[in-house]
Amino acid sequence: MSSGFFELLSAVTVDCKDNGVEFVVSDRLKAIERLLKDTQYSLVASSPLALLFAKRRPQKNEKVVLISSHVDCVYSSCFCRDEGDCWQGTFDNSFGNAAVLWCMINGTLPENAVVAFTGDEEKNSHGALQALQLLGEMECLLASAIVQDVTNVGWESGALFTIENDSGFDLLTAYNIVSSLEPCGGKFAFKHDAEPDESWDYAEYGIPSLTLCAPVNGNMHSDAGVLLRKDSAEAYCMALALLAEVLC
Protein backbone atom coordinates (compact mmCIF):
# COMPACT_ATOMS: atom_id res chain seq x y z
CA MET A 1 0.00 0.00 0.00
CA SER A 2 2.82 2.39 0.88
CA SER A 3 3.98 3.28 -2.62
CA GLY A 4 0.48 3.56 -4.07
CA PHE A 5 -0.71 5.68 -1.19
CA PHE A 6 2.31 7.96 -1.51
CA GLU A 7 1.40 8.64 -5.13
CA LEU A 8 -2.13 9.55 -4.06
CA LEU A 9 -0.85 11.69 -1.18
CA SER A 10 1.54 13.51 -3.50
CA ALA A 11 -1.25 14.17 -5.99
CA VAL A 12 -3.44 15.96 -3.42
CA THR A 13 -0.71 17.73 -1.46
CA VAL A 14 -1.20 20.81 -3.59
CA ASP A 15 -2.60 24.23 -2.83
CA CYS A 16 -6.24 24.94 -2.02
CA LYS A 17 -7.48 28.16 -0.45
CA ASP A 18 -10.69 30.11 0.02
CA ASN A 19 -11.69 33.56 1.20
CA GLY A 20 -14.48 32.35 3.48
CA VAL A 21 -16.99 32.74 0.68
CA GLU A 22 -15.61 30.63 -2.18
CA PHE A 23 -12.46 28.80 -3.26
CA VAL A 24 -9.87 31.10 -4.79
CA VAL A 25 -7.17 28.45 -5.37
CA SER A 26 -8.55 25.06 -6.42
CA ASP A 27 -5.59 22.90 -7.44
CA ARG A 28 -6.51 20.21 -4.91
CA LEU A 29 -10.16 20.15 -5.91
CA LYS A 30 -9.13 19.62 -9.53
CA ALA A 31 -6.86 16.75 -8.45
CA ILE A 32 -9.69 15.14 -6.47
CA GLU A 33 -12.11 15.37 -9.39
CA ARG A 34 -9.48 13.88 -11.70
CA LEU A 35 -8.75 10.99 -9.32
CA LEU A 36 -12.45 10.15 -8.96
CA LYS A 37 -13.24 10.43 -12.67
CA ASP A 38 -13.27 6.69 -13.43
CA THR A 39 -14.65 5.50 -10.07
CA GLN A 40 -18.17 4.74 -8.83
CA TYR A 41 -18.28 8.16 -7.16
CA SER A 42 -19.66 11.33 -8.66
CA LEU A 43 -20.45 14.85 -7.52
CA VAL A 44 -24.01 14.74 -6.16
CA ALA A 45 -24.24 18.27 -4.74
CA SER A 46 -22.10 21.36 -4.44
CA SER A 47 -21.96 24.84 -2.96
CA PRO A 48 -19.22 27.47 -2.96
CA LEU A 49 -17.35 25.78 -0.05
CA ALA A 50 -18.53 22.16 -0.10
CA LEU A 51 -18.44 19.41 -2.71
CA LEU A 52 -20.37 16.22 -1.92
CA PHE A 53 -19.47 12.93 -3.58
CA ALA A 54 -21.35 9.63 -3.31
CA LYS A 55 -22.07 6.52 -5.35
CA ARG A 56 -25.54 7.95 -5.93
CA ARG A 57 -27.60 10.88 -4.72
CA PRO A 58 -29.15 10.02 -1.31
CA GLN A 59 -32.89 9.53 -1.36
CA LYS A 60 -35.43 11.22 0.89
CA ASN A 61 -35.33 9.75 4.43
CA GLU A 62 -32.35 7.55 3.57
CA LYS A 63 -29.87 7.22 6.43
CA VAL A 64 -26.34 8.35 5.48
CA VAL A 65 -22.97 8.73 7.17
CA LEU A 66 -20.98 11.85 6.31
CA ILE A 67 -17.20 11.85 5.97
CA SER A 68 -16.03 15.45 6.19
CA SER A 69 -12.59 16.10 4.75
CA HIS A 70 -11.45 19.71 4.63
CA VAL A 71 -9.31 20.74 1.67
CA ASP A 72 -8.32 24.28 2.62
CA CYS A 73 -4.78 24.90 3.87
CA VAL A 74 -2.73 27.78 5.26
CA TYR A 75 0.66 26.93 3.70
CA SER A 76 2.45 29.32 1.37
CA SER A 77 3.62 26.25 -0.58
CA CYS A 78 2.91 22.52 -0.37
CA PHE A 79 5.27 19.54 -0.56
CA CYS A 80 5.45 15.80 0.11
CA ARG A 81 8.59 13.66 0.27
CA ASP A 82 9.77 10.23 1.41
CA GLU A 83 11.93 10.15 4.56
CA GLY A 84 12.42 6.43 5.15
CA ASP A 85 9.95 5.23 7.79
CA CYS A 86 8.06 8.51 7.54
CA TRP A 87 6.72 10.94 5.00
CA GLN A 88 7.35 14.63 5.47
CA GLY A 89 5.09 17.29 4.11
CA THR A 90 2.29 19.79 4.47
CA PHE A 91 -0.37 17.25 5.40
CA ASP A 92 -3.14 19.38 6.98
CA ASN A 93 -5.40 18.08 5.54
CA SER A 94 -4.05 16.41 2.41
CA PHE A 95 -3.43 13.19 4.35
CA GLY A 96 -7.12 12.98 5.23
CA ASN A 97 -8.05 13.76 1.63
CA ALA A 98 -5.74 11.01 0.37
CA ALA A 99 -7.07 8.50 2.91
CA VAL A 100 -10.73 8.95 2.02
CA LEU A 101 -9.86 8.90 -1.69
CA TRP A 102 -7.99 5.63 -1.14
CA CYS A 103 -11.12 4.14 0.46
CA MET A 104 -13.35 5.48 -2.31
CA ILE A 105 -11.13 4.22 -5.11
CA ASN A 106 -10.74 0.80 -3.49
CA GLY A 107 -14.43 0.43 -2.63
CA THR A 108 -14.15 0.03 1.15
CA LEU A 109 -16.79 2.56 2.23
CA PRO A 110 -20.46 1.62 2.80
CA GLU A 111 -22.98 2.31 0.05
CA ASN A 112 -24.63 5.14 1.97
CA ALA A 113 -21.44 7.11 2.70
CA VAL A 114 -21.34 10.72 1.52
CA VAL A 115 -17.93 12.39 1.32
CA ALA A 116 -17.78 16.16 1.70
CA PHE A 117 -14.65 18.05 0.66
CA THR A 118 -15.02 21.31 2.54
CA GLY A 119 -13.40 24.73 2.74
CA ASP A 120 -12.99 27.39 5.43
CA GLU A 121 -12.21 24.78 8.14
CA GLU A 122 -9.17 26.74 9.28
CA LYS A 123 -11.35 29.77 10.12
CA ASN A 124 -15.13 29.58 10.38
CA SER A 125 -16.14 26.11 9.10
CA HIS A 126 -18.52 27.55 6.52
CA GLY A 127 -17.83 24.50 4.34
CA ALA A 128 -19.12 22.10 7.00
CA LEU A 129 -22.24 24.21 7.47
CA GLN A 130 -22.83 24.24 3.72
CA ALA A 131 -22.45 20.44 3.63
CA LEU A 132 -25.20 20.20 6.25
CA GLN A 133 -27.39 22.52 4.19
CA LEU A 134 -26.91 20.43 1.06
CA LEU A 135 -27.82 17.23 2.92
CA GLY A 136 -30.85 18.99 4.36
CA GLU A 137 -32.00 19.94 0.88
CA MET A 138 -31.81 16.26 -0.09
CA GLU A 139 -34.01 15.43 2.94
CA CYS A 140 -31.88 12.43 3.82
CA LEU A 141 -31.20 11.41 7.42
CA LEU A 142 -27.68 12.16 8.65
CA ALA A 143 -26.85 9.38 11.10
CA SER A 144 -23.38 10.61 12.05
CA ALA A 145 -20.34 12.51 10.85
CA ILE A 146 -16.69 11.45 10.69
CA VAL A 147 -14.31 14.39 10.44
CA GLN A 148 -10.74 13.95 9.19
CA ASP A 149 -7.65 15.77 10.38
CA VAL A 150 -4.08 15.47 11.62
CA THR A 151 -3.02 15.81 15.26
CA ASN A 152 -0.03 15.97 17.57
CA VAL A 153 -1.85 13.63 19.98
CA GLY A 154 -0.44 10.10 20.05
CA TRP A 155 2.84 10.70 18.24
CA GLU A 156 5.06 10.02 21.24
CA SER A 157 3.17 6.83 22.15
CA GLY A 158 3.38 5.52 18.59
CA ALA A 159 -0.36 5.63 17.91
CA LEU A 160 -1.22 5.13 14.23
CA PHE A 161 -4.47 7.08 14.50
CA THR A 162 -6.58 8.81 17.12
CA ILE A 163 -10.25 9.35 17.76
CA GLU A 164 -10.96 12.83 19.11
CA ASN A 165 -13.89 15.13 19.92
CA ASP A 166 -16.41 12.29 20.05
CA SER A 167 -19.88 13.67 20.80
CA GLY A 168 -23.48 12.53 20.85
CA PHE A 169 -23.04 8.75 20.73
CA ASP A 170 -25.06 6.49 22.99
CA LEU A 171 -23.34 3.79 25.05
CA LEU A 172 -24.14 1.00 22.59
CA THR A 173 -22.72 2.93 19.65
CA ALA A 174 -19.63 3.85 21.68
CA TYR A 175 -19.12 0.16 22.46
CA ASN A 176 -19.57 -0.76 18.80
CA ILE A 177 -17.02 1.89 17.79
CA VAL A 178 -14.39 0.42 20.09
CA SER A 179 -15.25 -3.16 19.11
CA SER A 180 -15.07 -2.36 15.39
CA LEU A 181 -11.46 -1.21 15.76
CA GLU A 182 -10.17 -4.55 17.10
CA PRO A 183 -8.57 -5.42 13.71
CA CYS A 184 -6.35 -2.34 14.15
CA GLY A 185 -4.46 -4.05 16.98
CA GLY A 186 -4.93 -1.37 19.62
CA LYS A 187 -2.42 1.04 18.07
CA PHE A 188 -4.62 4.09 18.52
CA ALA A 189 -5.55 6.67 21.13
CA PHE A 190 -8.62 8.56 22.31
CA LYS A 191 -8.93 12.22 23.32
CA HIS A 192 -12.45 13.28 24.16
CA ASP A 193 -11.79 17.03 24.36
CA ALA A 194 -9.33 18.04 21.64
CA GLU A 195 -8.63 21.07 19.48
CA PRO A 196 -11.62 22.62 17.65
CA ASP A 197 -12.46 21.22 14.22
CA GLU A 198 -15.52 20.58 12.08
CA SER A 199 -16.83 17.97 14.52
CA TRP A 200 -17.71 20.81 16.89
CA ASP A 201 -19.95 22.34 14.22
CA TYR A 202 -21.72 19.07 13.43
CA ALA A 203 -22.21 18.41 17.15
CA GLU A 204 -23.82 21.84 17.57
CA TYR A 205 -26.53 20.68 15.16
CA GLY A 206 -27.10 17.48 17.14
CA ILE A 207 -25.19 15.20 14.77
CA PRO A 208 -23.25 12.40 16.54
CA SER A 209 -19.69 13.03 15.41
CA LEU A 210 -16.04 12.27 15.95
CA THR A 211 -12.71 13.19 14.41
CA LEU A 212 -10.39 10.53 13.04
CA CYS A 213 -6.87 11.94 13.12
CA ALA A 214 -3.41 10.89 11.95
CA PRO A 215 -0.65 11.65 14.51
CA VAL A 216 2.15 13.84 13.17
CA ASN A 217 5.34 15.32 14.57
CA GLY A 218 5.85 19.05 14.12
CA ASN A 219 3.88 22.25 13.69
CA MET A 220 0.86 21.27 11.61
CA HIS A 221 0.56 24.71 9.99
CA SER A 222 4.26 25.30 9.30
CA ASP A 223 5.65 25.50 5.77
CA ALA A 224 8.39 23.15 7.04
CA GLY A 225 5.79 20.39 7.18
CA VAL A 226 5.42 17.52 9.62
CA LEU A 227 6.52 13.91 9.88
CA LEU A 228 3.89 11.19 9.48
CA ARG A 229 4.60 7.48 9.96
CA LYS A 230 4.06 5.40 6.83
CA ASP A 231 2.41 2.71 8.96
CA SER A 232 -0.35 5.21 9.76
CA ALA A 233 -1.72 5.12 6.22
CA GLU A 234 -2.96 1.52 6.19
CA ALA A 235 -4.21 1.64 9.78
CA TYR A 236 -5.99 4.95 9.23
CA CYS A 237 -7.70 3.83 6.02
CA MET A 238 -8.81 0.62 7.72
CA ALA A 239 -10.17 2.57 10.69
CA LEU A 240 -12.02 5.00 8.41
CA ALA A 241 -13.77 2.18 6.58
CA LEU A 242 -14.62 0.33 9.80
CA LEU A 243 -16.00 3.44 11.48
CA ALA A 244 -18.06 4.39 8.45
CA GLU A 245 -19.57 0.90 8.41
CA VAL A 246 -20.46 0.83 12.10
CA LEU A 247 -21.86 4.40 12.09
CA CYS A 248 -23.97 4.09 8.96
Side-chain angles (χ1 to χ4, degrees):
M1 175 182 183
S2 180
S3 60
F5 187 88
F6 181 71
E7 292 178 6
L8 194 58
L9 180 60
S10 299
V12 295
T13 306
V14 292
D15 204 6
C16 191
K17 290 185 173 66
D18 62 76
N19 58 10
V21 178
E22 62 184 358
F23 289 105
V24 294
V25 180
S26 57
D27 296 357
R28 191 176 306 181
L29 292 173
K30 293 174 183 176
I32 288 169
E33 291 176 337
R34 183 179 69 252
L35 290 162
L36 291 176
K37 184 178 180 181
D38 295 321
T39 71
Q40 293 181 299
Y41 288 84
S42 62
L43 184 68
V44 296
S46 65
S47 61
L49 289 171
L51 279 70
L52 271 56
F53 288 82
K55 290 184 177 179
R56 54 175 174 75
R57 185 180 175 88
Q59 298 177 351
K60 183 177 180 179
N61 295 326
E62 180 182 5
K63 186 179 290 187
V64 302
V65 58
L66 176 68
I67 300 174
S68 189
S69 191
H70 82 85
V71 292
D72 58 313
C73 67
V74 298
Y75 309 111
S76 60
S77 62
C78 299
F79 76 96
C80 176
R81 62 172 176 253
D82 194 317
E83 294 289 349
D85 292 335
C86 295
W87 294 309
Q88 185 173 9
T90 48
F91 297 143
D92 184 12
N93 180 41
S94 64
F95 176 82
N97 306 152
V100 72
L101 285 168
W102 179 272
C103 292
M104 295 166 80
I105 292 168
N106 288 282
T108 63
L109 297 178
E111 292 295 313
N112 60 340
V114 176
V115 179
F117 294 105
T118 62
D120 195 46
E121 189 272 348
E122 299 291 357
K123 292 186 178 180
N124 298 307
S125 292
H126 287 147
L129 299 178
Q130 290 180 18
L132 285 177
Q133 182 178 358
L134 291 170
L135 291 169
E137 291 170 359
M138 295 179 192
E139 299 184 85
C140 56
L141 303 177
L142 180 52
S144 57
I146 301 172
V147 173
Q148 295 186 281
D149 220 327
V150 291
T151 182
N152 291 130
V153 175
W155 176 267
E156 295 296 333
S157 66
L160 298 181
F161 62 88
T162 68
I163 293 177
E164 305 182 11
N165 288 330
D166 55 295
S167 175
F169 296 106
D170 58 39
L171 288 176
L172 178 59
T173 304
Y175 173 80
N176 289 337
I177 288 172
V178 176
S179 298
S180 72
L181 296 175
E182 287 183 3
C184 299
K187 294 184 178 180
F188 55 91
F190 285 91
K191 187 170 183 179
H192 178 66
D193 294 309
E195 293 296 317
D197 57 37
E198 289 179 333
S199 66
W200 289 32
D201 300 279
Y202 295 125
E204 283 189 4
Y205 283 83
I207 308 301
S209 56
L210 57 81
T211 305
L212 180 64
C213 295
V216 297
N217 185 28
N219 183 340
M220 291 178 285
H221 292 162
S222 169
D223 283 352
V226 293
L227 290 174
L228 189 149
R229 293 184 178 93
K230 291 180 179 179
D231 290 348
S232 283
E234 184 171 2
Y236 185 101
C237 291
M238 179 188 296
L240 180 58
L242 291 170
L243 288 170
E245 188 67 42
V246 78
L247 294 179
C248 72

